[in-house]
Structure formats: structure tokens, C-alpha cells
Amino acid sequence: MVNAPMKKRFYFDIKWVIIFVIVAFMLVFQVFPLLFMLYRALFASGSFSLSSLSRIYTYSLNWTALKNTLIASFFTMIFGTLIAFPLAWLVGRTNLHFRKFFRSLFVLTYMVPPYLGAMAWLRLLNPKVGNLNVFLRDLLGLSQNPFNIYTLGGLIWVLTTFYYPYAFITISRAMEKMDPSLEEASKISGASPLRTLLTITLPMMTPSIVAGALLVFVSAASCYGIPSIVGMPGNIHTVTTRIVGYVSIGSADGLTDATSLAVFLMFTAVLVMYASAFITGHKQYITVSGKSTRPTIVDLGKWRVPITGLVFLFAAVVILLPFATVAITSVTQNLGKAVTAPGNFTLKHWEKVFTRADILSSMKNSLLFGAAAATAGILIACVMAYLLQRTRVRGRHIPDFLITLGSGSPSVVIALGLIMTMNGRFGISIYNTPAIMIIAYVIKYQMMGMRTVVSAMSQIHASLEECSQVSGASWPRTMKNVTLPLIGPSVAAGWFLIFIPSFYELSMSALLYSSATKVIGVQLHEYWTFTSQQQASAMASGILLVVIALNVALDRLTKGNFSI
């Protein structure tokens, strides 16, 4: 007797629903706006035409802005990588004094808004009254101040000091996981630490170095805060400042012109992402072994103290001095006098931080929008981590790709796309509402949380979850009672990594805010540009204190187990 074939029973898998929801969210609020923006640039007159692109890019000011963007980004990438690699090696692979302290210090500029650094270096290197300029002029007996921050070189310097941590973090993470066997063999063969570094470590780290360098490039190219504060007073325009300028016109032609410029940033980001994926995916460097080993710590010998001194000098000039300058400015009555001059010390600017209605309102908005974005982003991150690490469901890499695409897209491009498509034209009207800002933050920053949770999920054995499901627990219950408690510290870390940049965000917020949704980044920028540098410095110092407090809270929550 031949048994009839059994009919396949339909099995409803909630994972498909979750994938569909995440993909639908990214398609509606990320992919569609970007595609429409490209369509708008190519079909501005109703039919395919390159006339708008030609007109925009042949306009001398825009062409200059494009060249400035490429030059500034390229040299920021070069200088940032040249700074990041030796620092990552010294902090992660040598017996440098105070390694943990230096590592936290170098990452600090990653955790604070870039425009804070722009404000600080303006106070230090102003061509007429910059504090550092005046000090160096008097020290060296010069006839005029040696530096001018309002130049392309000044812009590159500030971009470098705030974006080298992107390469530092990327390189140091890979360096900590590198197989030390080849370096040990080099050492046994009699090679000096320097020769081992140049002939073994540097070639093995090439993929991570290139990936970090490209990340610095695209971050510098899409930055708005630093060029707007440092560049524009010296007529050093970039693509981002021109885009914001066109949008501020408030006309259809302004949006069209802004879109044409944004296409350049969009294609630049795509090319950089492709180059990064190609290099890191096709270079067969074995940097992580299957053995449970730790990288060899290089003894600096007689150079330990001098090199520690040089590293401290770098940290003092690049990190401590700018932050101290902003703090001092916040308690200064008259910027033309020293803070120690009689009657020149004041706390009135700090008092306004806690009493002015506009500052309190913008701070409240930043906290609420940042918390909402971080919560939504970390929920998506937890689900995506489970799908990527625990399942073989087809299509699970689609939302992962879209999340990566959103993170790599320039901030002003994301904001511009949302402006053009979420104004009711296509059935969704969230323009000038908190929702559009929260969605923009989620698109841009959720990958920071997802990578953290995915890494934690990969270290937890699947048998624990299997035991729960064998016992009859559903998948959501298993996630709630087993998985989430085990990855709790990383979830908290991921939440903070999304919240912090969302809290002080400026590039997207400058395009998306309304009078009711103004956030602290926009408020601070307006105070610095139009009202009071001292008041802006007090607000910036407040943001810095908030970030430091959050880092301390993160360290407590994760019991010191998490670091960037």
C-alpha cells in the first residue's frame, strides 16, 4: 500500500511579520525618500534632464563648495588615520602608562557634538583675538598671530580633531582581536618592536585601517556643524552648508537646488560604503584566530616615559584645551578680558541654562526625542540581532542591509528626503512634528546600537534558548526571560549609543525642526551665531556634562564590561 503524500501544514512564523515590519519602515522612511530625491534631481522639469544638475554644479560658489568638501574630507581622512593608527597601537598593544585613561579620553570627542569643538577652536585660533594665537605670538615674539582658523586649513584641523576617533575605534577594535602569533614569531626572530609594527602589524591591519579611513571621509563630508561655524565666517563653503542654505530659502526651486547638491553626497556615501565592503570583504588577512589568545603587549622600554609624555601632550592640546576653553568662556563676562580679571567671572550664563524657557524647552525636546529614538532603535536592534544570530530565515539580511545604508547616508540627505516626501504629498504628513525628527534619528543611528547587541548575542550559546523553547516557552517569552537578561548590559550600551548622538544632533535637526520641536543642538547653534558666545558655551558645557554623566551611568550599568 502506497502512502499518500502528506500535505505540508501551514506554519505561521512571527519572525516573517517582524522582518516585514522593519523592512516596510525602512522602505517608506528611508529608501523611498532617497529614491524620490534622486528622481527630483533628474526629472525636475517633468522629463529626464540633467539641466538642473548642470546649472547647480556650474555655479561657481557650488563648484567651490564641492571642491572644498572633497579637499577637506580627503585631508581629514589622511591626517585622522595617521593620528588614529599609532594611538590605537600605543593604547592597545604596548605598556604605555595610563592606557585605560588615554583610551577613554581619545573616544570622548566621538561622544560629544562636533560643533562644540568648532566653538572651542574659534576661541583659541581666532586670527585677531584667539587665546592660543595671542599666547604663541607673545611667546615667539611674532609681529602677528600665527594661525587663522577661518581658512580651509583651519576647517581641516577642526574636522580632524573631532573625526579621528572614528578611525581610532575601528582600528583599536580590530587590533584587540588580532592573532599575535606572527608578531611573536617576528619578535623571536630578533625584529625590533618598530620593525614588527611596520612589517607585520601594519599590513595585517590594512582592511581595518582602510575601513576606518573611509568612515572618517564620509563623516567629514556630511558634517554641517563644523563647516557652518568655522568655514562660513571665512567664506569657506561646503556642500552641506550650501544645502542648508538652499532649504532655508523655503521655495520649490530652493528644494530642487538642494536636492541636486545632495545627490553628490548620496553617491559619495554609496561609493565609500561599497569600497569599504569590497576591501574588508575581499582582503584575506587572518587577524582573528580560533585560539583563546590575547595580543602581545610590546614593551616600550626606555621610550615608555617619553612616548607617554608625547601622548599626554597630544591629548592636552587636542582634547583638554578645547574643552577647558569652552568651560572658561561660559563663565566669562567680557571676552576681551581674562576670566581672572576683577569682576569678569560670572555664573549668569549658567543660570540662564536652567531658567530660560527657550533653553529648557529645547533641552526637553532633545531628551524626549533622543529617548524615543533610542528606545525604538534598540527594540529593532534586539530583534535584528536575534534574527541574524539565531535563525536562518530567508530575507533576514535585507533589513540589515537597509539599516547599514541608513547609517552610511549623510545626515542632510536623510533629512532632505524626509522633507520632500513626508509633507502629505504621498499620504503621510509628519513634517514639522516630533515624529519626523525621531524617525530621522532612528534611521541614522540605530546601527550603532544594533552592532553592539549583535556582538553580545553572538557570544551567548543557543542551547539556553533551545532549552526554554523545548520547555514550551514561546519565542517572545524566550526573548523576554532568557535572551534579554543575558544581553542586558549590551542592550543598555546600545541604547546609550543611539541616545547620545540623537540628543545633541544638529545636521538633520537644522532642516527638520519647527518652532515647537527645536532641539538643543539647533538652539546652541543659534545662540553662538546670533546671540551670545558665552551663553552658547554654557549650553555646550552642559551638553558635555550630560554626556560624561551618561558614560558614567553606562559604566555602572554594564559593570565596566562595555567600552566603545
Side-chain angles (χ1 to χ4, degrees):
M1 180 178 179
V2 179
N3 293 329
M6 295 182 62
K7 294 183 178 180
K8 291 184 179 180
R9 298 179 59 185
F10 174 77
Y11 176 70
F12 176 77
D13 194 340
I14 193 174
K15 302 182 188 66
W16 280 99
V17 177
I18 294 172
I19 291 178
F20 174 80
V21 171
I22 295 175
V23 171
F25 172 82
M26 303 305 290
L27 288 176
V28 171
F29 294 106
Q30 177 186 316
V31 177
F32 173 66
L34 294 180
L35 291 178
F36 180 77
M37 191 168 60
L38 179 61
Y39 169 84
R40 177 72 176 268
L42 298 177
F43 293 84
S45 59
S47 59
F48 177 78
S49 173
L50 297 177
S51 59
S52 62
L53 292 175
S54 176
R55 176 175 56 83
I56 286 296
Y57 288 108
T58 54
Y59 181 44
S60 60
L61 187 58
N62 290 335
W63 182 246
T64 300
L66 189 150
K67 290 191 294 183
N68 288 339
T69 300
L70 290 176
I71 293 172
S73 302
F74 176 78
F75 282 103
T76 299
M77 176 185 69
I78 297 299
F79 295 143
T81 307
L82 290 176
I83 291 172
F85 178 76
L87 289 179
W89 182 74
L90 288 170
V91 170
R93 303 300 301 277
T94 72
N95 63 341
L96 183 78
H97 289 295
F98 314 115
R99 290 191 302 157
K100 186 176 181 181
F101 167 76
F102 281 128
R103 190 184 194 284
S104 300
L105 201 59
F106 295 148
V107 172
L108 183 60
T109 53
Y110 174 81
M111 304 297 287
V112 298
Y115 49 80
L116 192 155
M119 293 163 52
W121 285 109
L122 280 185
R123 294 287 304 137
L124 289 167
L125 297 181
N126 183 288
K128 295 182 179 179
V129 294
N131 297 333
L132 185 58
N133 257 338
V134 173
F135 172 77
L136 292 175
R137 182 194 65 193
D138 296 341
L139 179 66
L140 302 176
L142 302 176
S143 59
Q144 59 183 9
N145 290 333
F147 298 108
N148 182 4
I149 194 67
Y150 299 125
T151 61
L152 185 58
L155 176 62
I156 292 170
W157 167 252
V158 180
L159 286 170
T160 300
T161 59
F162 263 75
Y163 283 112
Y164 82 88
Y166 285 70
F168 174 83
I169 293 170
T170 302
I171 295 170
S172 61
R173 279 177 169 175
M175 197 170 285
E176 290 168 359
K177 298 178 180 180
M178 192 171 67
D179 183 3
S181 59
L182 293 177
E183 292 177 314
E184 293 172 355
S186 176
K187 182 179 178 181
I188 293 173
S189 301
S192 65
L194 180 60
R195 185 174 181 181
T196 299
L197 171 66
L198 296 177
T199 60
I200 303 296
T201 308
L202 185 59
M204 292 176 67
M205 291 298 301
T206 297
S208 296
I209 293 172
V210 173
L214 293 176
L215 180 59
V216 171
F217 179 90
V218 73
S219 299
S222 60
C223 177
Y224 168 71
I226 293 176
S228 67
I229 294 176
V230 174
M232 291 186 67
N235 289 320
I236 307 297
H237 296 276
T238 64
V239 172
T240 54
T241 58
R242 293 296 296 158
I243 289 174
V244 174
Y246 277 124
V247 174
S248 64
I249 295 175
S251 65
D253 290 339
L255 274 180
T256 300
D257 293 343
T259 301
S260 300
L261 279 176
V263 168
F264 164 76
L265 286 182
M266 186 166 61
F267 275 109
T268 299
V270 170
L271 289 174
V272 168
M273 288 176 61
Y274 174 79
S276 180
F278 178 83
I279 292 171
T280 57
H282 290 77
K283 292 290 184 180
Q284 300 300 317
Y285 295 103
I286 308 300
T287 59
V288 181
S289 68
K291 300 179 293 182
S292 179
T293 57
R294 291 187 177 184
T296 304
I297 299 298
V298 177
D299 184 6
L300 296 176
K302 64 181 181 180
W303 293 101
R304 188 182 186 191
V305 173
I307 291 178
T308 301
L310 288 175
V311 172
F312 180 80
L313 179 62
F314 170 84
V317 173
V318 173
I319 303 170
L320 300 179
L321 181 60
F323 291 163
T325 300
V326 172
I328 292 173
T329 302
S330 71
V331 294
T332 302
Q333 175 73 27
N334 185 343
L335 293 180
K337 300 179 181 179
V339 69
T340 55
N344 204 33
F345 177 85
T346 179
L347 292 176
K348 70 176 185 179
H349 307 298
W350 278 93
E351 293 174 1
K352 291 179 181 179
V353 170
F354 299 100
T355 57
R356 283 189 64 94
D358 57 345
I359 296 176
L360 293 176
S361 176
S362 62
M363 179 67 76
K364 177 184 175 182
N365 286 338
S366 289
L367 290 171
L368 290 177
F369 300 166
T375 302
I378 204 63
L379 288 175
I380 295 175
C382 290
V383 174
M384 284 304 307
Y386 187 90
L387 292 175
L388 291 172
Q389 294 294 322
R390 293 291 187 266
T391 73
R392 294 293 179 266
V393 177
R394 291 182 179 179
R396 67 188 184 279
H397 290 292
I398 296 177
D400 179 48
F401 168 77
L402 294 178
I403 290 172
T404 303
L405 178 64
S407 176
S409 299
S411 299
V412 292
V413 172
I414 295 173
L416 188 57
L418 290 173
I419 289 174
M420 299 176 67
T421 56
M422 300 298 141
N423 54 8
R425 181 175 185 174
F426 298 100
I428 301 177
S429 181
I430 57 174
Y431 186 54
N432 285 339
T433 67
I436 196 171
M437 303 187 75
I438 294 170
I439 289 171
Y441 298 162
V442 171
I443 291 172
K444 181 64 181 178
Y445 300 118
Q446 66 178 319
M447 193 184 79
M448 303 172 71
M450 192 182 78
R451 291 291 176 250
T452 302
V453 180
V454 168
S455 177
M457 183 78 74
S458 66
Q459 299 175 20
I460 298 175
H461 202 278
S463 61
L464 297 175
E465 294 160 356
E466 292 170 357
C467 290
S468 174
Q469 292 179 332
V470 169
S471 301
S474 62
W475 177 69
R477 187 175 181 183
T478 298
M479 284 284 290
K480 174 178 174 291
N481 296 335
V482 178
T483 308
L484 286 179
L486 291 173
I487 63 174
S490 294
V491 172
W495 191 93
F496 277 105
L497 285 177
I498 300 173
F499 173 82
I500 289 174
S502 299
F503 170 70
Y504 61 65
E505 212 283 329
L506 172 63
S507 298
M508 293 183 291
S509 303
L511 295 175
L512 297 174
Y513 83 96
S514 65
S515 59
T517 59
K518 185 177 290 186
V519 291
I520 194 66
V522 175
Q523 189 77 63
L524 188 153
H525 186 269
E526 290 183 354
Y527 265 98
W528 178 270
T529 306
F530 304 112
T531 308
S532 167
Q533 292 188 9
Q534 297 98 312
Q535 188 61 59
S537 297
M539 295 167 63
S541 299
I543 292 176
L544 180 60
L545 292 177
V546 169
V547 170
I548 293 174
L550 290 174
N551 283 328
V552 172
L554 175 59
D555 185 70
R556 296 284 181 86
L557 285 173
T558 62
K559 298 179 180 179
N561 293 326
F562 176 81
S563 61
I564 298 175

